[in-house]
Amino acid sequence: MTVEEFEEFYAQAVARLTGQLYVMVGDLHEAQDVVQEAFVKGWSRRRQLDRDGQPEAWIRTVAWRLAASRWRFRRRSADAWKRSGAPPHVEGPGPEKVALVEALRALPAQQRRIMTLHYLCDLTVEQVAGETRLSASTVKTHLSRGRSALADRLQDPRIEEAPGE
């Protein structure tokens, strides 16, 4: 991939990848950071990205791994704060959070990632399996369980079931 091709790829994919990572990690600023860092890593590998033929999947996977690494670091830091007795300052979620984001956050991370790749990134089951290194049947299981969990969590309590249902 030439410099110009990489710049064009970046311009076409950065917003889409940021949106996808936002759904996966639930934090827009974190998603922006990891996507930018993944593109920086991709810059030095742009020749290999071109040969692979799937530069967007590579960037998305690197960004996901960076987000997971940052999460582990923060968790270790929070544990250290707890051990030291100093409470960390954590702001609660604002009222602007929608039910879907809350429901997605309640899913296990792997299931949330697979749901995002399939429904938001519009990848086929086989593409999701390739990107996550899981079997297609495992991906289908995660999708089925994720849909069921979301359906339960997103059920509107104001809607009463009709008698006999």
Side-chain angles (χ1 to χ4, degrees):
M1 202 181 277
T2 66
V3 170
E4 293 79 19
E5 289 171 334
F6 190 85
E7 288 173 351
E8 183 180 331
F9 163 61
Y10 174 85
Q12 291 176 352
V14 68
R16 181 173 50 251
L17 286 165
T18 301
Q20 294 166 0
L21 265 293
Y22 171 54
V23 173
M24 288 183 200
V25 301
D27 181 323
L28 179 59
H29 296 293
E30 182 73 11
Q32 290 169 331
D33 285 348
V34 296
V35 168
Q36 288 301 319
E37 192 171 338
F39 269 106
V40 169
K41 291 179 181 291
W43 173 257
S44 63
R45 299 180 51 104
R46 63 186 182 276
R47 294 195 199 308
Q48 289 92 357
L49 290 178
D50 187 38
R51 281 196 300 260
D52 292 341
Q54 295 185 342
E56 192 167 326
W58 188 90
I59 297 288
R60 186 174 37 247
T61 300
V62 169
W64 169 255
R65 289 178 182 162
L66 288 167
S69 178
R70 288 178 174 196
W71 179 83
R72 283 191 296 271
F73 174 77
R74 287 188 186 114
R75 179 142 186 208
R76 286 191 303 267
S77 297
D79 289 345
W81 275 102
K82 286 179 187 175
R83 285 193 302 274
S84 72
H89 175 70
V90 178
E91 291 185 25
E96 72 282 353
K97 297 293 183 188
V98 296
L100 178 59
V101 172
E102 291 173 0
L104 284 167
R105 284 183 176 173
L107 295 177
Q110 181 76 307
Q111 201 172 73
R112 182 173 60 242
R113 180 181 182 207
I114 289 170
M115 296 283 288
T116 301
L117 290 172
H118 185 67
Y119 292 108
L120 184 69
C121 303
D122 203 26
L123 299 182
T124 66
V125 170
E126 291 74 23
Q127 289 170 320
V128 174
E131 192 164 319
T132 58
R133 297 184 182 173
L134 297 171
S135 69
S137 62
T138 301
V139 169
K140 288 177 185 177
T141 300
H142 279 298
L143 289 171
S144 175
R145 290 178 182 167
R147 282 190 301 268
S148 295
L150 288 178
D152 291 343
R153 288 184 179 95
L154 295 174
Q155 190 172 26
D156 190 344
R158 297 172 296 181
I159 300 173
E160 295 181 29
E161 290 186 22
E165 286 187 10

